[in-house]
Amino acid sequence: MDVDALPNVIVTDRELALMNAIRSVFPDATNLLCRFHIGKNVLAKCRKMFDDKMWEEFSCSWGLVVFSASVEQYEERLRALKHDFKMIPAALEYLERNWLEPYKERFVGAWTDNIMHFGNLTSNR
């Protein structure tokens, strides 16, 4: 197989078996996670924890974290998110444990903006 024909970036959902297969079959490719599906998962898990107004604020603040352009901006926005929504620790814990701690480099702009992905940050067309 021509090495130039191998993908450099693959965008997927957080399917662990698929992610492991990509790591094995395309060890030099970067596996980014689909922002659309992350958003759907956050909505499904966290929406019920908030009233309508607070959900809009939380969702906006989360979006700012995801679209952070630098590590410094990410850290600043994450601190603000944690401060503004400290009264809903279950939502913050969900974001940290399920998305940020294990995968932030695969979907947060501070890291993904350094990878040539031609704007492909979702598997949803």
Side-chain angles (χ1 to χ4, degrees):
M1 180 178 282
D2 183 11
V3 174
D4 292 334
L6 296 176
N8 292 323
V9 176
I10 301 170
V11 182
T12 66
D13 297 347
R14 186 187 58 182
E15 294 181 38
L16 299 180
L18 178 57
M19 293 168 68
N20 288 334
I22 290 168
R23 192 176 313 117
S24 295
V25 176
F26 303 109
D28 296 327
T30 300
N31 177 204
L32 299 180
L33 293 177
C34 174
R35 287 181 177 173
F36 173 81
H37 286 100
I38 291 171
K40 297 295 270 184
N41 282 311
V42 171
L43 173 70
K45 184 68 174 181
C46 297
R47 175 63 182 98
K48 62 186 171 265
M49 299 178 201
F50 298 91
D51 64 28
D52 289 344
K53 182 179 186 303
M54 190 178 282
W55 170 252
E56 290 301 320
E57 293 170 3
F58 178 81
S59 183
C60 181
S61 187
W62 169 243
L64 290 173
V65 170
V66 171
F67 286 94
S68 297
S70 68
V71 173
E72 294 77 20
Q73 189 177 60
Y74 163 79
E75 291 170 350
E76 178 183 318
R77 289 176 173 181
L78 182 58
R79 269 193 305 276
L81 175 80
K82 288 179 177 181
H83 175 268
D84 294 347
F85 299 98
K86 63 184 172 230
M87 74 295 275
I88 315 287
L92 298 173
E93 184 176 315
Y94 170 77
L95 296 178
E96 283 284 339
R97 280 194 181 167
N98 292 281
W99 298 108
L100 296 174
E101 286 177 13
Y103 303 115
K104 68 180 175 272
E105 294 88 357
R106 295 179 187 229
F107 71 95
V108 173
W111 290 274
T112 63
D113 289 352
N114 297 314
I115 299 165
M116 190 181 334
H117 52 68
F118 299 106
N120 293 300
L121 295 166
T122 178
S123 61
N124 182 35
R125 290 283 168 200

